Amino acid sequence: ELVDGIVALLRRWDWAVRPTWVTWVPSRERGPLIEAVAGRIGAIGKLPVHNTLSCTRPGPAQATQQNAAHRCTNVWRAFSVDENALPGREHLAGPVLLVDDVYDSGWTMTVVADLLRDNGAAAVLPFALARR
């Protein structure tokens, strides 16, 4: 049911350019769920799914951080991109759909999107399952 709702929402999304691939933000709490959702979105949309991101250091949950500066510091250098897991140029030339479990301050999406852009992604389309 969750994926059906997501797919229905994505079908109504007014795409300037449709994504050409999918990836997700690693999560300690909901890692398997996010990976599975990204995989299903990719399969239904006929988009390649790439496990490009990894957590490089553990840190406290973003919700425990008291302000924007702490939240930014908490995720800065907390993720990395596996260059070998990136899609080929034909997919990097288009936007990536970036799936995350929760959108709170926006710092995780911002930092991860910056990493993806630095590694060749033309654009990043953030998509979160929930917002705090």
Coordinates of all heavy atoms in Angstrom, one line a residue, residues 32-127:
P32 N 16.5 -1.1 5.6 CA 15.8 -2.1 4.7 C 14.6 -1.5 4.0 O 14.3 -1.8 2.9 CB 15.5 -3.3 5.6 CG 16.6 -3.2 6.7 CD 16.7 -1.7 6.9
L33 N 13.8 -0.8 4.8 CA 12.5 -0.2 4.2 C 12.9 0.8 3.1 O 12.3 0.7 2.0 CB 11.7 0.5 5.3 CG 10.5 1.3 4.8 CD1 9.5 0.4 4.2 CD2 10.0 2.2 5.9
I34 N 13.8 1.7 3.3 CA 14.1 2.7 2.3 C 14.7 2.1 1.1 O 14.4 2.4 0.0 CB 15.1 3.8 2.9 CG1 14.5 4.5 4.1 CG2 15.5 4.8 1.8 CD1 13.2 5.1 3.8
E35 N 15.6 1.1 1.3 CA 16.2 0.4 0.1 C 15.1 -0.3 -0.7 O 15.1 -0.3 -1.9 CB 17.2 -0.6 0.6 CG 17.9 -1.4 -0.5 CD 19.0 -2.3 0.0 OE1 19.3 -2.3 1.2 OE2 19.5 -3.0 -0.9
A36 N 14.1 -1.0 0.0 CA 13.1 -1.7 -0.6 C 12.1 -0.7 -1.4 O 11.7 -1.0 -2.5 CB 12.3 -2.5 0.4
V37 N 11.8 0.4 -0.8 CA 10.9 1.4 -1.4 C 11.6 1.9 -2.7 O 11.0 2.0 -3.8 CB 10.5 2.5 -0.5 CG1 9.9 3.7 -1.2 CG2 9.6 2.0 0.6
A38 N 12.9 2.3 -2.6 CA 13.6 2.8 -3.7 C 13.7 1.7 -4.8 O 13.5 2.0 -6.0 CB 15.1 3.2 -3.3
G39 N 13.9 0.5 -4.5 CA 13.9 -0.6 -5.4 C 12.6 -0.8 -6.2 O 12.5 -1.0 -7.4
R40 N 11.5 -0.7 -5.4 CA 10.2 -0.8 -6.0 C 9.8 0.3 -6.9 O 9.3 0.2 -8.0 CB 9.1 -1.0 -4.9 CG 9.1 -2.3 -4.2 CD 8.7 -3.5 -5.0 NE 7.3 -3.3 -5.5 CZ 6.9 -3.5 -6.7 NH1 7.7 -4.0 -7.6 NH2 5.6 -3.3 -7.0
I41 N 10.2 1.6 -6.5 CA 10.0 2.7 -7.3 C 10.7 2.6 -8.6 O 10.2 2.8 -9.7 CB 10.4 4.0 -6.6 CG1 9.5 4.3 -5.5 CG2 10.5 5.2 -7.6 CD1 10.0 5.5 -4.6
G42 N 12.0 2.1 -8.5 CA 12.8 1.9 -9.7 C 12.2 0.9 -10.6 O 12.1 1.1 -11.9
A43 N 11.7 -0.2 -10.1 CA 11.2 -1.3 -10.9 C 9.9 -0.9 -11.6 O 9.7 -1.1 -12.8 CB 10.9 -2.5 -10.0
I44 N 9.0 -0.2 -10.8 CA 7.8 0.2 -11.4 C 8.0 1.3 -12.5 O 7.4 1.3 -13.5 CB 6.8 0.8 -10.3 CG1 6.3 -0.4 -9.5 CG2 5.6 1.5 -10.9 CD1 5.7 0.0 -8.2
G45 N 8.9 2.2 -12.2 CA 9.2 3.3 -13.2 C 10.2 2.9 -14.2 O 10.6 3.8 -15.1
K46 N 10.7 1.7 -14.2 CA 11.7 1.2 -15.2 C 13.0 2.0 -15.1 O 13.5 2.4 -16.1 CB 11.1 1.1 -16.6 CG 10.0 0.1 -16.7 CD 9.4 0.1 -18.1 CE 8.4 -1.0 -18.3 NZ 7.2 -1.0 -17.5
L47 N 13.4 2.3 -13.9 CA 14.6 3.2 -13.6 C 15.6 2.3 -12.9 O 15.3 1.6 -12.0 CB 14.2 4.4 -12.7 CG 13.2 5.3 -13.3 CD1 12.8 6.3 -12.2 CD2 13.7 6.1 -14.5
P48 N 16.9 2.4 -13.3 CA 17.9 1.7 -12.6 C 18.1 2.3 -11.1 O 17.9 3.5 -10.9 CB 19.2 2.0 -13.4 CG 18.9 3.2 -14.2 CD 17.4 3.2 -14.4
V49 N 18.3 1.4 -10.2 CA 18.5 1.7 -8.8 C 19.9 1.4 -8.4 O 20.4 0.3 -8.7 CB 17.5 0.9 -7.9 CG1 17.7 1.3 -6.4 CG2 16.1 1.2 -8.4
H50 N 20.6 2.4 -7.8 CA 22.0 2.3 -7.5 C 22.2 2.6 -6.0 O 21.8 3.6 -5.5 CB 22.9 3.2 -8.3 CG 22.8 2.9 -9.8 ND1 23.7 2.0 -10.3 CD2 22.0 3.2 -10.8 CE1 23.5 1.9 -11.6 NE2 22.4 2.6 -11.9
N51 N 22.9 1.7 -5.3 CA 23.2 1.8 -3.9 C 24.5 2.6 -3.9 O 25.6 2.1 -3.7 CB 23.4 0.5 -3.3 CG 23.7 0.5 -1.8 OD1 23.7 1.6 -1.2 ND2 24.1 -0.6 -1.2
T52 N 24.4 4.0 -4.0 CA 25.6 4.8 -4.2 C 26.1 5.4 -2.9 O 27.2 5.9 -2.8 CB 25.3 5.9 -5.2 OG1 24.2 6.7 -4.7 CG2 25.0 5.4 -6.6
L53 N 25.2 5.5 -1.9 CA 25.6 6.2 -0.7 C 25.8 5.3 0.5 O 25.2 4.2 0.6 CB 24.4 7.2 -0.3 CG 24.1 8.2 -1.3 CD1 22.7 8.8 -1.1 CD2 25.2 9.3 -1.3
S54 N 26.8 5.7 1.3 CA 27.0 4.9 2.6 C 27.3 5.9 3.7 O 27.7 7.1 3.5 CB 28.2 4.0 2.4 OG 29.4 4.7 2.1
C55 N 27.0 5.5 4.9 CA 27.3 6.3 6.1 C 28.7 6.0 6.5 O 29.2 4.9 6.6 CB 26.3 5.8 7.2 SG 26.4 6.9 8.6
T56 N 29.5 7.1 6.6 CA 30.9 7.0 6.9 C 31.2 7.0 8.4 O 32.3 6.7 8.8 CB 31.7 8.1 6.2 OG1 31.2 9.3 6.6 CG2 31.6 7.9 4.7
R57 N 30.3 7.6 9.1 CA 30.5 7.6 10.6 C 29.2 7.7 11.3 O 28.2 8.3 10.8 CB 31.4 8.8 11.0 CG 30.7 10.1 10.7 CD 31.5 11.3 11.4 NE 31.1 12.6 10.9 CZ 30.0 13.2 11.3 NH1 29.2 12.6 12.1 NH2 29.6 14.3 10.8
P58 N 29.0 7.0 12.4 CA 27.8 7.0 13.1 C 27.6 8.4 13.8 O 28.6 9.0 14.2 CB 27.9 5.9 14.1 CG 29.3 5.7 14.3 CD 30.0 6.1 13.0
G59 N 26.4 8.8 14.0 CA 26.1 10.0 14.7 C 24.8 9.9 15.3 O 24.0 9.0 15.0
P60 N 24.5 10.9 16.2 CA 23.1 10.9 16.8 C 22.1 11.2 15.7 O 22.3 11.8 14.7 CB 23.2 12.0 17.8 CG 24.4 12.8 17.4 CD 25.3 12.0 16.6
A61 N 20.8 10.8 16.0 CA 19.7 11.1 15.1 C 19.6 12.6 15.0 O 19.8 13.3 15.9 CB 18.4 10.5 15.7
Q62 N 19.2 13.0 13.8 CA 19.0 14.4 13.5 C 18.0 15.1 14.5 O 18.2 16.2 14.9 CB 18.6 14.7 12.1 CG 19.7 14.6 11.1 CD 20.7 15.7 11.2 OE1 21.6 15.6 12.0 NE2 20.6 16.7 10.3
A63 N 17.0 14.3 14.8 CA 15.9 14.9 15.7 C 16.5 15.2 17.1 O 15.8 16.0 17.8 CB 14.8 13.9 15.8
T64 N 17.6 14.7 17.5 CA 18.2 15.0 18.8 C 19.0 16.3 18.8 O 19.4 16.7 19.8 CB 19.0 13.8 19.3 OG1 20.2 13.7 18.5 CG2 18.3 12.5 19.3
Q65 N 19.3 16.8 17.6 CA 20.1 18.0 17.5 C 19.2 19.2 17.7 O 18.1 19.3 17.3 CB 20.8 18.1 16.1 CG 21.6 16.9 15.8 CD 22.7 16.6 16.8 OE1 23.6 17.4 17.0 NE2 22.6 15.5 17.5
Q66 N 19.8 20.2 18.4 CA 19.0 21.3 18.9 C 18.8 22.5 18.0 O 17.9 23.3 18.1 CB 19.6 21.8 20.2 CG 19.6 20.8 21.3 CD 18.2 20.3 21.6 OE1 17.2 21.0 21.8 NE2 18.0 18.9 21.6
N67 N 19.7 22.6 17.0 CA 19.5 23.7 16.0 C 20.1 23.4 14.7 O 20.7 22.4 14.5 CB 20.1 25.0 16.6 CG 21.6 24.9 16.9 OD1 22.4 24.4 16.1 ND2 22.0 25.4 18.1
A68 N 19.9 24.3 13.7 CA 20.4 24.0 12.4 C 21.9 23.8 12.3 O 22.4 23.0 11.5 CB 20.0 25.2 11.4
A69 N 22.6 24.6 13.0 CA 24.1 24.5 13.0 C 24.5 23.1 13.4 O 25.4 22.4 12.8 CB 24.8 25.5 13.8
H70 N 23.9 22.6 14.5 CA 24.2 21.2 15.0 C 23.8 20.2 14.0 O 24.5 19.2 13.8 CB 23.6 21.0 16.4 CG 24.2 21.8 17.5 ND1 23.6 22.0 18.7 CD2 25.4 22.5 17.5 CE1 24.4 22.8 19.4 NE2 25.4 23.1 18.8
R71 N 22.6 20.4 13.4 CA 22.2 19.4 12.4 C 23.0 19.3 11.2 O 23.3 18.2 10.7 CB 20.7 19.7 12.1 CG 19.8 19.4 13.2 CD 18.4 19.8 12.9 NE 17.5 19.5 14.1 CZ 16.2 19.3 14.1 NH1 15.6 19.4 12.9 NH2 15.6 19.0 15.2
C72 N 23.5 20.5 10.7 CA 24.4 20.5 9.6 C 25.7 19.8 10.0 O 26.2 18.9 9.2 CB 24.7 21.9 9.2 SG 25.9 22.0 7.8
T73 N 26.3 20.1 11.1 CA 27.5 19.5 11.6 C 27.4 18.0 11.7 O 28.3 17.2 11.4 CB 28.0 20.1 12.9 OG1 28.2 21.5 12.7 CG2 29.3 19.5 13.4
N74 N 26.2 17.6 12.2 CA 25.9 16.2 12.4 C 26.0 15.3 11.1 O 26.4 14.2 11.2 CB 24.6 16.0 13.1 CG 24.3 14.6 13.6 OD1 25.2 14.0 14.2 ND2 23.1 14.1 13.4
V75 N 25.6 15.9 10.0 CA 25.6 15.1 8.8 C 26.8 15.5 7.8 O 27.0 14.8 6.9 CB 24.3 15.3 8.0 CG1 23.1 14.7 8.8 CG2 24.0 16.7 7.6
W76 N 27.5 16.6 8.1 CA 28.6 17.0 7.3 C 29.7 15.9 7.4 O 30.1 15.5 8.5 CB 29.2 18.3 7.8 CG 30.1 18.9 6.8 CD1 31.5 18.9 6.9 CD2 29.7 19.6 5.6 NE1 32.0 19.6 5.8 CE2 30.9 20.0 5.0 CE3 28.5 19.9 5.0 CZ2 30.9 20.7 3.8 CZ3 28.5 20.6 3.8 CH2 29.7 21.0 3.2
R77 N 30.1 15.3 6.3 CA 31.1 14.3 6.2 C 30.6 13.0 6.8 O 31.4 12.1 7.2 CB 32.4 14.7 6.7 CG 33.1 15.8 5.9 CD 34.5 16.0 6.3 NE 35.1 17.0 5.4 CZ 35.4 18.2 5.8 NH1 35.3 18.6 7.1 NH2 35.9 19.1 5.0
A78 N 29.3 12.8 7.0 CA 28.7 11.6 7.6 C 28.4 10.6 6.5 O 28.1 9.4 6.7 CB 27.5 11.9 8.4
F79 N 28.4 11.0 5.2 CA 28.0 10.2 4.1 C 29.1 10.3 3.0 O 29.9 11.2 2.9 CB 26.7 10.6 3.4 CG 25.6 10.5 4.4 CD1 25.1 11.6 5.1 CD2 24.9 9.3 4.5 CE1 24.1 11.5 6.0 CE2 23.8 9.2 5.4 CZ 23.4 10.2 6.1
S80 N 29.2 9.2 2.2 CA 30.1 9.2 1.1 C 29.4 8.6 -0.1 O 28.4 7.9 0.0 CB 31.4 8.5 1.4 OG 31.2 7.1 1.6
V81 N 30.0 8.8 -1.3 CA 29.5 8.2 -2.5 C 30.5 7.2 -3.0 O 31.7 7.5 -3.1 CB 29.3 9.3 -3.6 CG1 28.9 8.7 -5.0 CG2 28.2 10.3 -3.2
D82 N 30.0 6.0 -3.3 CA 30.8 5.0 -3.9 C 30.8 5.2 -5.5 O 29.8 5.0 -6.1 CB 30.2 3.6 -3.6 CG 31.0 2.5 -4.2 OD1 31.9 2.7 -5.0 OD2 30.6 1.3 -4.0
E83 N 31.9 5.7 -6.0 CA 32.0 6.1 -7.4 C 31.8 4.9 -8.3 O 31.2 5.0 -9.4 CB 33.3 6.7 -7.7 CG 33.5 8.0 -7.0 CD 34.9 8.6 -7.2 OE1 35.7 8.1 -8.1 OE2 35.2 9.6 -6.6
N84 N 32.1 3.7 -7.8 CA 31.9 2.4 -8.6 C 30.5 2.0 -8.7 O 30.1 1.2 -9.5 CB 32.7 1.3 -8.0 CG 34.2 1.6 -8.1 OD1 34.7 2.1 -9.1 ND2 35.0 1.3 -7.0
A85 N 29.6 2.6 -7.8 CA 28.2 2.2 -7.8 C 27.3 3.2 -8.5 O 26.1 3.0 -8.7 CB 27.7 2.1 -6.3
L86 N 27.9 4.3 -9.0 CA 27.2 5.3 -9.8 C 26.8 4.7 -11.1 O 27.4 3.9 -11.7 CB 28.0 6.5 -10.0 CG 28.3 7.4 -8.8 CD1 29.4 8.4 -9.1 CD2 27.0 8.1 -8.3
P87 N 25.6 5.2 -11.6 CA 25.2 4.7 -13.0 C 26.1 5.3 -14.1 O 27.0 6.2 -13.8 CB 23.8 5.3 -13.1 CG 23.8 6.5 -12.2 CD 24.7 6.2 -11.1
G88 N 26.0 4.8 -15.3 CA 26.7 5.3 -16.4 C 26.3 6.8 -16.8 O 25.4 7.3 -16.2
R89 N 27.1 7.3 -17.6 CA 26.9 8.7 -18.0 C 25.5 9.0 -18.5 O 25.0 10.1 -18.3 CB 27.9 9.1 -19.1 CG 29.3 9.4 -18.6 CD 30.1 10.0 -19.6 NE 31.4 10.3 -19.1 CZ 32.5 10.3 -19.7 NH1 32.5 9.9 -21.0 NH2 33.7 10.5 -19.1
E90 N 24.9 8.1 -19.2 CA 23.6 8.4 -19.8 C 22.5 8.6 -18.7 O 21.6 9.4 -18.9 CB 23.1 7.3 -20.7 CG 22.8 5.9 -20.1 CD 24.0 5.1 -19.7 OE1 25.2 5.5 -20.0 OE2 23.8 4.0 -19.2
H91 N 22.7 7.9 -17.5 CA 21.8 8.1 -16.4 C 22.2 9.3 -15.6 O 21.4 10.0 -15.1 CB 21.7 6.9 -15.6 CG 20.9 5.8 -16.3 ND1 21.6 4.7 -16.8 CD2 19.6 5.7 -16.7 CE1 20.7 3.9 -17.5 NE2 19.5 4.5 -17.4
L92 N 23.5 9.5 -15.4 CA 24.0 10.6 -14.6 C 23.6 12.0 -15.2 O 23.5 13.0 -14.6 CB 25.5 10.6 -14.4 CG 26.1 9.7 -13.3 CD1 27.6 9.7 -13.3 CD2 25.6 10.2 -11.9
A93 N 23.4 12.0 -16.5 CA 23.1 13.2 -17.3 C 21.7 13.7 -16.9 O 21.3 14.8 -17.2 CB 23.2 13.0 -18.8
G94 N 20.9 12.8 -16.3 CA 19.5 13.2 -15.9 C 19.4 13.2 -14.4 O 20.4 12.9 -13.7
P95 N 18.3 13.7 -13.9 CA 18.1 13.8 -12.5 C 18.0 12.4 -11.8 O 17.6 11.4 -12.3 CB 16.7 14.5 -12.3 CG 16.4 15.0 -13.6 CD 17.1 14.2 -14.7
V96 N 18.5 12.4 -10.5 CA 18.3 11.2 -9.7 C 17.2 11.5 -8.7 O 17.0 12.6 -8.2 CB 19.6 10.9 -8.9 CG1 20.1 12.1 -8.1 CG2 19.5 9.7 -8.0
L97 N 16.4 10.5 -8.5 CA 15.3 10.5 -7.4 C 16.0 10.0 -6.2 O 16.4 8.9 -6.1 CB 14.1 9.7 -7.8 CG 13.0 9.7 -6.8 CD1 12.3 11.1 -6.7 CD2 11.9 8.7 -7.2
L98 N 16.1 10.9 -5.2 CA 16.8 10.5 -3.9 C 15.7 10.3 -2.8 O 14.9 11.2 -2.5 CB 17.7 11.7 -3.5 CG 18.3 11.6 -2.1 CD1 19.3 10.4 -2.1 CD2 19.1 12.9 -1.8
V99 N 15.6 9.0 -2.4 CA 14.6 8.6 -1.4 C 15.2 8.6 0.0 O 16.3 8.1 0.2 CB 14.1 7.2 -1.8 CG1 13.0 6.8 -0.8 CG2 13.5 7.2 -3.2
D100 N 14.5 9.2 0.9 CA 14.9 9.3 2.3 C 13.6 8.9 3.2 O 12.5 9.0 2.7 CB 15.4 10.6 2.7 CG 16.2 10.6 4.0 OD1 16.4 9.6 4.6 OD2 16.7 11.7 4.4
D101 N 13.9 8.5 4.4 CA 12.8 8.1 5.3 C 12.0 9.3 5.8 O 10.8 9.4 5.8 CB 13.2 7.2 6.4 CG 14.3 7.7 7.3 OD1 14.9 8.7 6.9 OD2 14.6 7.0 8.3
V102 N 12.8 10.3 6.4 CA 12.2 11.4 7.1 C 12.9 12.7 6.7 O 14.1 12.8 6.6 CB 12.2 11.3 8.6 CG1 11.7 12.5 9.3 CG2 11.5 10.0 9.1
Y103 N 12.1 13.8 6.4 CA 12.6 15.1 6.1 C 12.3 15.9 7.3 O 11.1 16.1 7.7 CB 11.9 15.7 4.9 CG 12.5 17.0 4.5 CD1 13.5 17.2 3.6 CD2 12.0 18.2 5.1 CE1 14.0 18.4 3.2 CE2 12.4 19.4 4.7 CZ 13.4 19.5 3.8 OH 13.9 20.8 3.5
D104 N 13.3 16.4 8.0 CA 13.2 17.3 9.1 C 13.7 18.7 8.9 O 13.0 19.5 8.4 CB 13.8 16.6 10.3 CG 13.5 17.3 11.7 OD1 12.9 18.4 11.7 OD2 13.8 16.7 12.7
S105 N 15.0 18.9 9.1 CA 15.6 20.2 8.9 C 16.0 20.4 7.4 O 16.2 21.5 7.0 CB 16.8 20.3 9.7 OG 17.8 19.4 9.3
G106 N 16.1 19.3 6.7 CA 16.6 19.4 5.3 C 18.1 19.3 5.1 O 18.6 19.2 4.0
W107 N 18.8 19.2 6.2 CA 20.3 19.1 6.1 C 20.8 17.8 5.5 O 21.7 17.8 4.7 CB 21.0 19.4 7.5 CG 21.0 20.9 7.7 CD1 20.4 21.6 8.7 CD2 21.8 21.8 7.0 NE1 20.7 22.9 8.6 CE2 21.6 23.1 7.6 CE3 22.6 21.7 5.9 CZ2 22.1 24.2 7.1 CZ3 23.2 22.9 5.4 CH2 23.0 24.1 6.0
T108 N 20.2 16.7 5.9 CA 20.6 15.4 5.3 C 20.4 15.5 3.8 O 21.4 15.1 3.1 CB 19.8 14.2 5.9 OG1 20.0 14.3 7.3 CG2 20.3 12.9 5.3
M109 N 19.3 15.9 3.3 CA 19.0 15.9 1.9 C 20.0 16.9 1.2 O 20.5 16.6 0.1 CB 17.6 16.4 1.6 CG 16.6 15.3 1.8 SD 16.6 14.0 0.5 CE 14.9 13.4 0.7
T110 N 20.2 18.0 1.8 CA 21.1 19.0 1.3 C 22.5 18.5 1.1 O 23.2 18.6 0.1 CB 21.1 20.3 2.1 OG1 19.8 20.8 2.1 CG2 22.1 21.4 1.6
V111 N 23.1 17.9 2.2 CA 24.4 17.4 2.2 C 24.6 16.2 1.2 O 25.5 16.2 0.4 CB 24.9 17.0 3.6 CG1 26.2 16.2 3.6 CG2 25.0 18.2 4.5
V112 N 23.6 15.3 1.2 CA 23.7 14.2 0.3 C 23.5 14.6 -1.2 O 24.2 14.1 -2.1 CB 22.7 13.1 0.7 CG1 22.5 12.0 -0.3 CG2 23.0 12.5 2.1
A113 N 22.6 15.5 -1.4 CA 22.4 16.0 -2.8 C 23.7 16.7 -3.3 O 24.1 16.5 -4.4 CB 21.2 17.0 -2.8
D114 N 24.4 17.4 -2.4 CA 25.6 18.1 -2.8 C 26.7 17.0 -3.2 O 27.4 17.2 -4.2 CB 26.1 19.0 -1.7 CG 27.4 19.7 -2.0 OD1 27.3 20.5 -3.0 OD2 28.4 19.6 -1.3
L115 N 26.7 15.9 -2.4 CA 27.7 14.9 -2.7 C 27.3 14.2 -4.1 O 28.3 14.0 -4.9 CB 27.6 13.8 -1.6 CG 28.3 14.0 -0.3 CD1 28.0 12.9 0.7 CD2 29.8 14.0 -0.6
L116 N 26.1 14.0 -4.3 CA 25.7 13.4 -5.6 C 26.0 14.3 -6.8 O 26.5 13.9 -7.8 CB 24.2 13.0 -5.6 CG 23.8 11.8 -4.7 CD1 22.3 11.8 -4.5 CD2 24.4 10.5 -5.2
R117 N 25.8 15.6 -6.6 CA 26.1 16.6 -7.6 C 27.6 16.6 -7.9 O 28.0 16.7 -9.0 CB 25.6 18.0 -7.3 CG 24.0 18.1 -7.2 CD 23.5 18.1 -8.6 NE 24.1 19.0 -9.5 CZ 23.6 20.1 -10.0 NH1 22.4 20.4 -9.8 NH2 24.4 20.9 -10.8
D118 N 28.4 16.6 -6.8 CA 29.8 16.6 -6.9 C 30.4 15.4 -7.6 O 31.5 15.4 -8.2 CB 30.5 16.7 -5.5 CG 30.4 18.1 -4.9 OD1 30.1 19.1 -5.7 OD2 30.8 18.3 -3.7
N119 N 29.6 14.3 -7.6 CA 30.0 13.1 -8.3 C 29.3 12.9 -9.6 O 29.2 11.7 -10.1 CB 29.8 11.9 -7.3 CG 30.8 11.8 -6.3 OD1 31.9 11.2 -6.5 ND2 30.6 12.5 -5.1
G120 N 28.8 13.9 -10.2 CA 28.3 13.9 -11.5 C 26.8 13.9 -11.8 O 26.4 13.9 -12.9
A121 N 26.0 13.8 -10.7 CA 24.5 13.8 -10.9 C 24.1 15.2 -11.5 O 24.5 16.2 -10.9 CB 23.8 13.5 -9.7
A122 N 23.3 15.2 -12.5 CA 22.9 16.4 -13.2 C 22.0 17.2 -12.2 O 22.1 18.5 -12.2 CB 22.2 16.2 -14.5
A123 N 21.1 16.5 -11.5 CA 20.2 17.2 -10.6 C 19.7 16.1 -9.6 O 19.8 14.9 -9.9 CB 19.0 17.7 -11.4
V124 N 19.2 16.6 -8.5 CA 18.7 15.7 -7.5 C 17.3 16.1 -7.1 O 17.0 17.2 -6.8 CB 19.6 15.8 -6.2 CG1 19.0 14.9 -5.1 CG2 21.0 15.4 -6.5
L125 N 16.4 15.1 -7.2 CA 15.0 15.3 -6.9 C 14.7 14.6 -5.5 O 14.6 13.4 -5.5 CB 14.1 14.7 -8.0 CG 14.3 15.2 -9.4 CD1 13.5 14.4 -10.4 CD2 14.0 16.7 -9.5
P126 N 14.6 15.4 -4.4 CA 14.4 14.7 -3.1 C 13.0 14.2 -2.9 O 12.1 14.9 -3.3 CB 14.8 15.9 -2.1 CG 14.5 17.1 -2.9 CD 14.7 16.8 -4.3
F127 N 12.9 13.1 -2.3 CA 11.6 12.5 -2.0 C 11.7 11.8 -0.6 O 12.5 10.9 -0.4 CB 11.2 11.5 -3.0 CG 9.8 10.9 -2.8 CD1 8.7 11.6 -3.2 CD2 9.6 9.7 -2.1 CE1 7.4 11.1 -2.9 CE2 8.4 9.2 -1.8 CZ 7.3 9.9 -2.2

